[in-house]
Protein backbone atom coordinates (compact mmCIF):
# COMPACT_ATOMS: atom_id res chain seq x y z
CA UNK A 1 0.00 0.00 0.00
CA UNK A 2 2.88 2.36 0.76
CA UNK A 3 4.37 1.70 -2.67
CA UNK A 4 1.00 2.43 -4.31
CA UNK A 5 0.69 5.67 -2.34
CA UNK A 6 4.19 6.77 -3.36
CA UNK A 7 3.54 6.03 -7.04
CA UNK A 8 0.26 7.93 -6.94
CA UNK A 9 1.88 10.87 -5.18
CA UNK A 10 4.65 10.82 -7.78
CA UNK A 11 2.05 10.91 -10.58
CA UNK A 12 0.28 13.94 -9.10
CA UNK A 13 3.56 15.79 -8.45
CA UNK A 14 4.28 16.05 -12.17
CA UNK A 15 3.64 19.45 -13.66
CA UNK A 16 2.07 17.87 -16.74
CA UNK A 17 -0.52 16.10 -14.56
CA UNK A 18 -1.51 19.28 -12.76
CA UNK A 19 -1.76 21.24 -16.02
CA UNK A 20 -3.85 18.53 -17.68
CA UNK A 21 -6.28 18.32 -14.78
CA UNK A 22 -6.62 22.10 -14.62
CA UNK A 23 -7.19 22.43 -18.38
CA UNK A 24 -9.63 19.51 -18.50
CA UNK A 25 -11.66 20.80 -15.55
CA UNK A 26 -11.66 24.38 -16.83
CA UNK A 27 -12.79 23.42 -20.32
CA UNK A 28 -15.39 20.81 -19.38
CA UNK A 29 -16.91 22.32 -16.25
CA UNK A 30 -16.40 26.04 -16.68
CA UNK A 31 -16.62 26.54 -20.45
CA UNK A 32 -18.79 23.67 -21.70
CA UNK A 33 -21.04 23.51 -18.64
CA UNK A 34 -21.30 26.78 -16.69
CA UNK A 35 -20.72 29.21 -19.57
CA UNK A 36 -22.94 27.14 -21.84
CA UNK A 37 -25.83 27.37 -19.39
CA UNK A 38 -25.40 31.02 -18.49
CA UNK A 39 -24.24 32.44 -21.82
CA UNK A 40 -23.64 30.50 -25.04
CA UNK A 41 -26.76 28.32 -25.36
CA UNK A 42 -29.26 29.93 -23.04
CA UNK A 43 -28.28 33.58 -22.82
CA UNK A 44 -30.56 36.15 -24.46
CA UNK A 45 -29.76 36.59 -28.14
CA UNK A 46 -30.68 39.13 -30.78
CA UNK A 47 -30.68 39.05 -34.55
CA UNK A 48 -27.34 40.83 -34.80
CA UNK A 49 -25.61 38.69 -32.18
CA UNK A 50 -23.68 35.45 -32.48
CA UNK A 51 -23.97 32.85 -29.69
CA UNK A 52 -20.80 34.34 -28.17
CA UNK A 53 -22.51 37.73 -28.06
CA UNK A 54 -25.41 36.53 -25.92
CA UNK A 55 -26.20 38.11 -22.58
CA UNK A 56 -25.24 36.41 -19.31
CA UNK A 57 -28.83 35.76 -18.29
CA UNK A 58 -29.06 32.03 -18.95
CA UNK A 59 -30.22 31.26 -15.41
CA UNK A 60 -33.34 33.40 -15.67
CA UNK A 61 -34.01 32.28 -19.24
CA UNK A 62 -33.90 28.63 -18.22
CA UNK A 63 -36.44 29.35 -15.48
CA UNK A 64 -38.68 31.10 -18.01
CA UNK A 65 -38.43 28.14 -20.39
CA UNK A 66 -39.29 25.67 -17.64
CA UNK A 67 -42.30 27.72 -16.56
CA UNK A 68 -43.49 28.20 -20.13
CA UNK A 69 -43.37 24.45 -20.85
CA UNK A 70 -45.72 23.78 -17.95
CA UNK A 71 -48.52 25.33 -20.03
CA UNK A 72 -48.61 22.03 -21.95
CA UNK A 73 -50.06 20.31 -18.89
CA UNK A 74 -47.32 17.79 -18.08
CA UNK A 75 -48.17 15.27 -20.84
CA UNK A 76 -47.43 15.27 -24.56
CA UNK A 77 -50.92 14.91 -25.99
CA UNK A 78 -52.28 16.00 -29.35
CA UNK A 79 -53.76 19.08 -27.70
CA UNK A 80 -50.44 19.93 -26.02
CA UNK A 81 -48.49 19.64 -29.29
CA UNK A 82 -51.06 21.73 -31.13
CA UNK A 83 -50.90 24.40 -28.42
CA UNK A 84 -47.09 24.53 -28.53
CA UNK A 85 -47.19 25.06 -32.31
CA UNK A 86 -50.02 27.58 -32.06
CA UNK A 87 -48.20 29.62 -29.40
CA UNK A 88 -45.06 29.75 -31.53
CA UNK A 89 -47.00 30.98 -34.56
CA UNK A 90 -48.81 33.62 -32.53
CA UNK A 91 -45.52 34.94 -31.15
CA UNK A 92 -44.08 35.12 -34.67
CA UNK A 93 -47.20 36.83 -36.04
CA UNK A 94 -47.06 39.43 -33.27
CA UNK A 95 -43.40 40.17 -34.02
CA UNK A 96 -42.26 39.25 -30.51
CA UNK A 97 -39.21 37.34 -31.69
CA UNK A 98 -37.40 37.79 -28.38
CA UNK A 99 -40.00 35.55 -26.71
CA UNK A 100 -39.12 32.58 -28.91
CA UNK A 101 -36.18 31.81 -26.63
CA UNK A 102 -38.53 30.53 -23.94
CA UNK A 103 -40.39 28.17 -26.27
CA UNK A 104 -39.30 24.60 -26.92
CA UNK A 105 -39.34 25.26 -30.65
CA UNK A 106 -36.25 23.20 -31.55
CA UNK A 107 -37.67 20.06 -29.89
CA UNK A 108 -41.09 20.62 -31.45
CA UNK A 109 -39.51 21.13 -34.89
CA UNK A 110 -37.79 17.74 -34.60
CA UNK A 111 -41.06 16.10 -33.59
CA UNK A 112 -42.87 17.59 -36.59
CA UNK A 113 -40.19 16.52 -39.05
CA UNK A 114 -40.20 12.98 -37.66
CA UNK A 115 -43.93 12.43 -37.23
CA UNK A 116 -45.46 14.52 -40.00
CA UNK A 117 -43.08 14.52 -43.00
CA UNK A 118 -46.08 14.60 -45.34
CA UNK A 119 -46.94 18.12 -44.08
CA UNK A 120 -43.55 19.56 -45.01
CA UNK A 121 -43.46 22.11 -47.82
CA UNK A 122 -40.71 21.17 -50.24
CA UNK A 123 -41.50 23.37 -53.24
CA UNK A 124 -40.80 26.76 -51.69
CA UNK A 125 -37.63 28.57 -52.74
CA UNK A 126 -37.25 29.97 -49.23
CA UNK A 127 -36.69 27.54 -46.37
CA UNK A 128 -39.07 27.79 -43.42
CA UNK A 129 -39.35 25.73 -40.26
CA UNK A 130 -42.38 23.44 -40.18
CA UNK A 131 -43.44 24.94 -36.88
CA UNK A 132 -43.89 28.27 -38.67
CA UNK A 133 -46.51 27.15 -41.20
CA UNK A 134 -48.03 23.78 -40.26
CA UNK A 135 -51.70 23.89 -39.28
CA UNK A 136 -52.02 22.85 -35.62
CA UNK A 137 -55.34 21.07 -36.21
CA UNK A 138 -53.61 18.59 -38.52
CA UNK A 139 -51.26 17.37 -35.78
CA UNK A 140 -53.21 14.32 -34.66
CA UNK A 141 -52.37 10.70 -33.85
CA UNK A 142 -48.97 11.44 -32.29
CA UNK A 143 -48.22 7.97 -31.01
CA UNK A 144 -49.63 6.14 -34.04
CA UNK A 145 -47.42 8.35 -36.21
CA UNK A 146 -44.45 7.57 -34.00
CA UNK A 147 -44.99 3.80 -34.29
CA UNK A 148 -45.11 4.09 -38.06
CA UNK A 149 -42.02 6.31 -38.13
CA UNK A 150 -40.06 3.71 -36.16
CA UNK A 151 -41.12 0.91 -38.51
CA UNK A 152 -40.25 3.02 -41.55
CA UNK A 153 -36.84 3.83 -40.10
CA UNK A 154 -36.05 0.19 -39.32
CA UNK A 155 -37.07 -0.85 -42.82
CA UNK A 156 -34.95 1.89 -44.40
CA UNK A 157 -32.01 0.80 -42.23
CA UNK A 158 -32.34 -2.82 -43.32
CA UNK A 159 -33.25 -3.92 -39.81
CA UNK A 160 -35.81 -6.60 -40.50
CA UNK A 161 -36.85 -10.02 -39.18
CA UNK A 162 -35.59 -10.93 -35.73
CA UNK A 163 -33.67 -7.68 -35.33
CA UNK A 164 -36.81 -5.65 -36.09
CA UNK A 165 -38.84 -7.71 -33.63
CA UNK A 166 -36.17 -7.33 -30.96
CA UNK A 167 -36.19 -3.53 -31.26
CA UNK A 168 -39.98 -3.27 -31.47
CA UNK A 169 -40.31 -5.41 -28.33
CA UNK A 170 -38.00 -2.99 -26.56
CA UNK A 171 -40.10 -0.09 -27.81
CA UNK A 172 -43.28 -1.64 -26.38
CA UNK A 173 -41.91 -0.96 -22.88
CA UNK A 174 -41.89 2.80 -23.51
CA UNK A 175 -44.66 4.34 -21.39
CA UNK A 176 -47.39 6.35 -23.13
CA UNK A 177 -48.32 9.17 -23.12
CA UNK A 178 -44.96 10.86 -22.71
CA UNK A 179 -44.29 13.11 -19.74
CA UNK A 180 -43.48 16.58 -21.02
CA UNK A 181 -41.54 19.46 -19.56
CA UNK A 182 -38.93 21.73 -21.07
CA UNK A 183 -36.81 19.44 -23.25
CA UNK A 184 -34.10 21.56 -24.86
CA UNK A 185 -31.91 21.70 -21.73
CA UNK A 186 -31.84 17.92 -21.43
CA UNK A 187 -31.22 17.58 -25.17
CA UNK A 188 -28.10 19.75 -24.97
CA UNK A 189 -26.90 17.91 -21.85
CA UNK A 190 -27.37 14.35 -23.14
CA UNK A 191 -26.82 14.72 -26.88
CA UNK A 192 -23.99 17.25 -26.79
CA UNK A 193 -22.30 17.96 -23.45
CA UNK A 194 -21.96 14.40 -22.11
CA UNK A 195 -21.60 12.87 -25.56
CA UNK A 196 -18.24 14.59 -26.06
CA UNK A 197 -16.94 14.12 -22.52
CA UNK A 198 -15.23 10.79 -23.25
CA UNK A 199 -13.19 12.13 -26.16
CA UNK A 200 -11.96 15.04 -24.03
CA UNK A 201 -11.00 12.77 -21.16
CA UNK A 202 -9.10 10.52 -23.56
CA UNK A 203 -6.84 13.40 -24.58
CA UNK A 204 -5.76 14.23 -21.05
CA UNK A 205 -5.57 10.63 -19.87
CA UNK A 206 -3.23 9.86 -22.78
CA UNK A 207 -0.93 12.76 -21.90
CA UNK A 208 -0.67 11.77 -18.24
CA UNK A 209 -0.70 7.96 -18.37
CA UNK A 210 1.48 7.45 -21.44
CA UNK A 211 4.43 8.48 -19.26
CA UNK A 212 3.70 6.00 -16.44
CA UNK A 213 6.14 3.40 -17.83
CA UNK A 214 7.72 5.07 -20.86
CA UNK A 215 8.66 8.04 -18.67
CA UNK A 216 10.92 5.81 -16.60
CA UNK A 217 13.12 5.26 -19.65
CA UNK A 218 13.10 8.95 -20.44
CA UNK A 219 14.52 9.63 -16.98
CA UNK A 220 16.85 6.58 -17.10
CA UNK A 221 15.05 4.91 -14.19
CA UNK A 222 14.58 1.48 -15.81
CA UNK A 223 17.78 -0.17 -14.60
CA UNK A 224 17.40 1.37 -11.15
CA UNK A 225 14.04 -0.35 -10.71
CA UNK A 226 15.70 -3.77 -10.81
CA UNK A 227 17.84 -2.91 -7.78
CA UNK A 228 14.93 -1.75 -5.61
CA UNK A 229 13.77 -4.05 -2.82
CA UNK A 230 10.17 -4.18 -4.08
CA UNK A 231 11.14 -5.48 -7.51
CA UNK A 232 9.68 -4.67 -10.93
CA UNK A 233 6.45 -6.63 -10.50
CA UNK A 234 5.25 -4.86 -7.36
CA UNK A 235 6.24 -1.51 -8.80
CA UNK A 236 4.38 -2.28 -12.04
CA UNK A 237 1.23 -3.18 -10.12
CA UNK A 238 1.52 0.02 -8.08
CA UNK A 239 1.94 2.08 -11.24
CA UNK A 240 -1.09 0.49 -12.88
CA UNK A 241 -3.20 0.91 -9.77
CA UNK A 242 -2.11 4.53 -9.56
CA UNK A 243 -3.03 5.11 -13.21
CA UNK A 244 -6.46 3.53 -12.77
CA UNK A 245 -7.09 5.63 -9.67
CA UNK A 246 -6.10 8.76 -11.56
CA UNK A 247 -8.65 7.96 -14.27
CA UNK A 248 -11.30 7.58 -11.56
CA UNK A 249 -10.25 10.81 -9.84
CA UNK A 250 -10.37 12.79 -13.07
CA UNK A 251 -13.82 11.42 -13.83
CA UNK A 252 -15.11 12.24 -10.33
CA UNK A 253 -13.74 15.77 -10.58
CA UNK A 254 -15.61 16.37 -13.85
CA UNK A 255 -18.70 14.51 -12.66
CA UNK A 256 -19.06 16.57 -9.47
CA UNK A 257 -18.44 19.82 -11.34
CA UNK A 258 -20.93 19.03 -14.11
CA UNK A 259 -23.67 17.77 -11.81
CA UNK A 260 -23.29 20.78 -9.51
CA UNK A 261 -23.66 23.15 -12.47
CA UNK A 262 -26.59 21.11 -13.78
CA UNK A 263 -28.45 21.26 -10.47
CA UNK A 264 -27.81 25.00 -10.13
CA UNK A 265 -29.06 25.83 -13.61
CA UNK A 266 -31.38 23.04 -14.82
CA UNK A 267 -32.32 21.69 -11.39
CA UNK A 268 -34.01 18.28 -11.56
CA UNK A 269 -37.06 19.39 -13.54
CA UNK A 270 -38.00 16.88 -16.23
CA UNK A 271 -35.83 14.02 -15.00
CA UNK A 272 -38.71 11.57 -15.53
CA UNK A 273 -39.41 12.57 -19.14
CA UNK A 274 -38.70 9.79 -21.67
CA UNK A 275 -35.69 10.20 -23.94
CA UNK A 276 -38.15 10.02 -26.82
CA UNK A 277 -38.79 13.74 -26.19
CA UNK A 278 -35.29 14.26 -27.59
CA UNK A 279 -35.52 11.67 -30.39
CA UNK A 280 -38.99 10.38 -31.17
CA UNK A 281 -37.84 7.16 -32.86
CA UNK A 282 -35.62 6.07 -29.96
CA UNK A 283 -36.76 2.64 -28.76
CA UNK A 284 -35.10 2.48 -25.34
CA UNK A 285 -37.56 2.64 -22.40
CA UNK A 286 -35.43 5.15 -20.50
CA UNK A 287 -36.09 8.50 -18.88
CA UNK A 288 -33.71 11.46 -18.80
CA UNK A 289 -32.15 10.55 -15.45
CA UNK A 290 -31.53 6.95 -16.51
CA UNK A 291 -29.99 8.20 -19.75
CA UNK A 292 -27.69 10.55 -17.85
CA UNK A 293 -26.59 7.78 -15.49
CA UNK A 294 -25.87 5.56 -18.49
CA UNK A 295 -23.79 8.21 -20.23
CA UNK A 296 -21.73 8.86 -17.11
CA UNK A 297 -21.25 5.10 -16.68
CA UNK A 298 -20.12 4.92 -20.31
CA UNK A 299 -17.48 7.59 -19.67
CA UNK A 300 -16.30 6.08 -16.36
CA UNK A 301 -15.98 2.50 -17.59
CA UNK A 302 -14.52 3.69 -20.87
CA UNK A 303 -11.92 5.77 -19.01
CA UNK A 304 -10.87 2.75 -16.95
CA UNK A 305 -10.63 0.63 -20.09
CA UNK A 306 -8.69 3.30 -21.94
CA UNK A 307 -6.29 3.73 -19.01
CA UNK A 308 -5.44 0.03 -19.28
CA UNK A 309 -4.69 0.37 -23.01
CA UNK A 310 -2.56 3.49 -22.55
CA UNK A 311 -0.46 1.86 -19.83
CA UNK A 312 0.04 -1.23 -21.99
CA UNK A 313 1.33 1.00 -24.77
CA UNK A 314 3.50 2.90 -22.30
CA UNK A 315 5.01 -0.37 -21.09
CA UNK A 316 5.63 -1.58 -24.64
CA UNK A 317 7.73 1.32 -25.92
CA UNK A 318 10.61 3.26 -24.44
CA UNK A 319 9.83 6.59 -26.06
CA UNK A 320 7.29 8.78 -24.29
CA UNK A 321 6.33 10.69 -27.45
CA UNK A 322 5.68 7.45 -29.31
CA UNK A 323 3.56 6.14 -26.44
CA UNK A 324 1.53 9.36 -26.46
CA UNK A 325 0.92 9.30 -30.21
CA UNK A 326 -0.09 5.64 -30.19
CA UNK A 327 -2.43 6.24 -27.24
CA UNK A 328 -4.15 9.11 -29.01
CA UNK A 329 -4.41 7.07 -32.20
CA UNK A 330 -6.38 4.38 -30.34
CA UNK A 331 -9.29 6.80 -29.87
CA UNK A 332 -8.97 9.40 -32.60
CA UNK A 333 -7.91 7.21 -35.57
CA UNK A 334 -11.20 5.22 -35.59
CA UNK A 335 -13.12 8.50 -35.57
CA UNK A 336 -11.22 9.73 -38.65
CA UNK A 337 -11.57 6.56 -40.72
CA UNK A 338 -15.02 5.38 -39.62
CA UNK A 339 -16.90 7.04 -42.48
CA UNK A 340 -14.90 5.00 -45.00
CA UNK A 341 -15.66 1.64 -43.38
CA UNK A 342 -18.67 -0.72 -43.60
CA UNK A 343 -21.34 -0.21 -40.93
CA UNK A 344 -20.54 -3.43 -39.06
CA UNK A 345 -16.88 -2.47 -38.78
CA UNK A 346 -17.86 1.02 -37.62
CA UNK A 347 -19.91 -0.51 -34.82
CA UNK A 348 -17.01 -2.81 -33.89
CA UNK A 349 -14.65 0.18 -33.59
CA UNK A 350 -17.12 1.81 -31.20
CA UNK A 351 -16.24 -0.92 -28.69
CA UNK A 352 -12.76 0.57 -28.29
CA UNK A 353 -12.73 2.42 -24.94
CA UNK A 354 -13.98 6.01 -25.35
CA UNK A 355 -14.10 5.68 -29.15
CA UNK A 356 -17.86 5.10 -29.18
CA UNK A 357 -20.66 7.34 -27.98
CA UNK A 358 -22.86 7.26 -24.92
CA UNK A 359 -25.58 8.76 -27.13
CA UNK A 360 -26.08 5.33 -28.71
CA UNK A 361 -29.02 5.00 -26.33
CA UNK A 362 -30.91 7.15 -28.84
CA UNK A 363 -30.08 4.81 -31.72
CA UNK A 364 -31.15 1.34 -32.86
CA UNK A 365 -27.68 -0.17 -33.38
CA UNK A 366 -27.35 -3.84 -32.50
CA UNK A 367 -24.76 -6.62 -32.56
CA UNK A 368 -25.55 -10.15 -33.64
CA UNK A 369 -23.64 -12.48 -31.32
CA UNK A 370 -24.12 -16.20 -30.71
CA UNK A 371 -27.37 -16.20 -32.65
CA UNK A 372 -28.90 -13.36 -30.63
CA UNK A 373 -29.29 -9.62 -31.15
CA UNK A 374 -27.85 -7.36 -28.45
CA UNK A 375 -28.57 -3.64 -28.25
CA UNK A 376 -25.24 -1.85 -28.73
CA UNK A 377 -25.33 0.28 -25.51
CA UNK A 378 -25.17 -2.93 -23.45
CA UNK A 379 -21.81 -3.78 -25.01
CA UNK A 380 -20.55 -0.20 -25.08
CA UNK A 381 -20.31 -0.10 -21.28
CA UNK A 382 -19.06 -3.66 -20.72
CA UNK A 383 -16.57 -4.46 -23.48
CA UNK A 384 -14.34 -1.35 -23.04
CA UNK A 385 -13.71 -1.94 -19.34
CA UNK A 386 -13.03 -5.64 -20.01
CA UNK A 387 -10.49 -4.63 -22.66
CA UNK A 388 -8.71 -2.43 -20.13
CA UNK A 389 -8.62 -5.17 -17.51
CA UNK A 390 -7.36 -7.63 -20.13
CA UNK A 391 -4.45 -5.28 -20.90
CA UNK A 392 -3.15 -5.11 -17.32
CA UNK A 393 -1.22 -8.42 -17.10
CA UNK A 394 0.28 -7.83 -20.55
CA UNK A 395 1.45 -4.38 -19.45
CA UNK A 396 3.25 -5.92 -16.48
CA UNK A 397 4.93 -8.57 -18.67
CA UNK A 398 5.87 -6.05 -21.35
CA UNK A 399 7.59 -3.82 -18.81
CA UNK A 400 9.43 -6.78 -17.33
CA UNK A 401 10.79 -7.72 -20.73
CA UNK A 402 11.95 -4.18 -21.35
CA UNK A 403 13.75 -4.13 -18.02
CA UNK A 404 15.37 -7.52 -18.51
CA UNK A 405 16.28 -6.66 -22.08
Amino acid sequence: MDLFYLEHKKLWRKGSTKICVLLCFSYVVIFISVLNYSWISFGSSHAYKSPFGNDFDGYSNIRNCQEYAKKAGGELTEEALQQLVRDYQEIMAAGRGEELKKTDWSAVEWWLGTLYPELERKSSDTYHLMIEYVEPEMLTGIYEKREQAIKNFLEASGQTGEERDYLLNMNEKVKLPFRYEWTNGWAILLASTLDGLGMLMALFLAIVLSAVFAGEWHHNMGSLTLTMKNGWQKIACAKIGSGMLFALELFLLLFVGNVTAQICYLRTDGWDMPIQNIKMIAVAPMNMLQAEIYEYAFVLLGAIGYAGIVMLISASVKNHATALLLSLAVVYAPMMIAQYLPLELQKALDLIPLAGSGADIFRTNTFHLFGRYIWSPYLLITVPVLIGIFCIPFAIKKWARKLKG
Side-chain angles (χ1 to χ4, degrees):
M1 185 58 69
D2 289 341
L3 184 59
F4 168 78
Y5 173 76
L6 290 174
E7 284 293 336
H8 197 57
K9 187 176 180 181
K10 174 182 173 183
L11 182 66
W12 273 100
R13 276 181 174 175
K14 294 181 179 179
S16 58
T17 300
K18 296 175 182 178
I19 293 173
C20 283
V21 171
L22 178 61
L23 289 176
C24 189
F25 181 84
S26 299
Y27 185 74
V28 172
V29 177
I30 298 177
F31 183 78
I32 293 183
S33 190
V34 174
L35 292 183
N36 196 36
Y37 289 137
S38 61
W39 174 37
I40 300 172
S41 291
F42 302 113
S44 295
S45 60
H46 305 283
Y48 59 87
K49 285 187 174 183
S50 71
F52 291 98
N54 290 349
D55 298 330
F56 279 83
D57 58 354
Y59 183 87
S60 60
N61 281 337
I62 289 173
R63 294 292 169 271
N64 291 335
C65 291
Q66 291 172 332
E67 288 300 317
Y68 185 85
K70 292 179 181 179
K71 293 171 61 177
E75 288 187 350
L76 186 59
T77 60
E78 293 177 6
E79 293 75 14
L81 178 58
Q82 292 171 4
Q83 189 59 46
L84 288 170
V85 173
R86 190 176 294 112
D87 288 348
Y88 180 94
Q89 293 175 352
E90 289 176 355
I91 291 173
M92 287 290 290
R96 304 193 308 270
E98 67 280 358
E99 293 185 27
L100 295 179
K101 190 74 175 183
K102 67 183 181 182
T103 68
D104 226 349
W105 69 266
S106 57
V108 175
E109 179 66 17
W110 277 109
W111 300 344
L112 298 179
T114 301
L115 304 181
Y116 304 96
E118 71 279 3
L119 300 181
E120 184 178 0
R121 295 177 184 173
K122 300 180 180 180
S123 59
S124 176
D125 294 333
T126 304
Y127 175 76
H128 292 282
L129 298 172
M130 284 187 68
I131 194 174
E132 295 178 3
Y133 61 78
V134 71
E135 296 180 18
E137 294 74 18
M138 300 185 69
L139 305 177
T140 59
I142 295 177
Y143 298 107
E144 292 78 4
K145 289 280 189 179
R146 176 180 172 272
E147 291 294 323
Q148 190 58 50
I150 292 174
K151 293 176 181 178
N152 292 342
F153 176 79
L154 294 178
E155 183 178 353
S157 302
Q159 295 175 293
T160 59
E162 292 183 17
E163 184 178 15
R164 177 180 181 274
D165 294 339
Y166 172 76
L167 293 169
L168 290 178
N169 287 336
M170 182 183 297
N171 178 63
E172 288 180 359
K173 299 176 183 177
V174 177
K175 295 181 180 180
L176 304 177
F178 296 162
R179 284 271 300 116
Y180 173 70
E181 292 187 36
W182 183 56
T183 299
N184 192 40
W186 283 99
I188 291 176
L189 175 67
L190 297 179
S192 178
T193 304
L194 296 186
D195 185 37
L197 183 58
M199 282 289 182
L200 285 169
M201 279 196 67
L203 171 63
F204 296 103
L205 286 175
I207 294 173
V208 174
L209 299 183
S210 61
V212 167
F213 291 106
E216 300 291 353
W217 298 104
H218 179 75
H219 297 291
N220 296 318
M221 296 293 291
S223 57
L224 181 62
T225 302
L226 290 173
T227 66
M228 298 178 67
K229 64 177 183 179
N230 292 298
W232 63 266
Q233 191 168 19
K234 288 185 178 180
I235 295 177
C237 291
K239 286 180 178 293
I240 289 174
S242 173
M244 291 293 184
L245 180 58
F246 174 79
L248 176 61
E249 290 169 336
L250 181 60
F251 168 81
L252 289 176
L253 187 65
L254 301 180
F255 171 78
V256 171
N258 274 346
V259 171
T260 300
Q262 177 187 344
I263 292 175
C264 289
Y265 285 91
L266 296 181
R267 299 188 300 196
T268 59
D269 295 21
W271 69 268
D272 54 346
M273 289 190 297
I275 63 171
Q276 284 71 24
N277 283 13
I278 296 176
K279 187 174 183 179
M280 274 288 174
I281 58 173
V283 297
M286 302 175 71
N287 61 36
M288 299 297 186
L289 178 59
Q290 291 168 332
E292 182 175 9
I293 292 172
Y294 173 88
E295 292 198 23
Y296 275 121
F298 169 84
V299 175
L300 172 59
L301 297 176
I304 293 174
Y306 183 65
I309 292 178
V310 173
M311 287 187 284
L312 172 59
I313 294 173
S314 180
S316 301
V317 299
K318 293 185 177 182
N319 186 282
H320 179 201
T322 302
L324 175 58
L325 291 175
L326 291 175
S327 298
L328 293 174
V330 168
V331 170
Y332 293 100
M335 180 178 63
M336 292 186 291
I337 66 174
Q339 59 181 322
Y340 306 107
L341 302 175
L343 179 60
E344 292 302 318
L345 190 52
Q346 290 181 33
K347 292 192 295 183
L349 290 177
D350 285 344
L351 297 176
I352 297 173
L354 299 182
S357 170
D360 251 36
I361 53 175
F362 296 101
R363 305 183 182 115
T364 59
N365 294 335
T366 63
F367 288 89
H368 192 231
L369 301 173
F370 309 112
R372 296 175 61 88
Y373 283 98
I374 302 176
W375 190 42
S376 64
Y378 294 145
L379 297 181
L380 289 178
I381 62 170
T382 53
V383 173
V385 69
L386 293 177
I387 291 175
I389 294 172
F390 180 78
C391 289
I392 291 175
F394 292 96
I396 295 174
K397 291 181 180 179
K398 283 285 186 180
W399 198 53
R401 289 176 183 174
K402 293 291 181 183
L403 289 175
K404 294 176 181 178

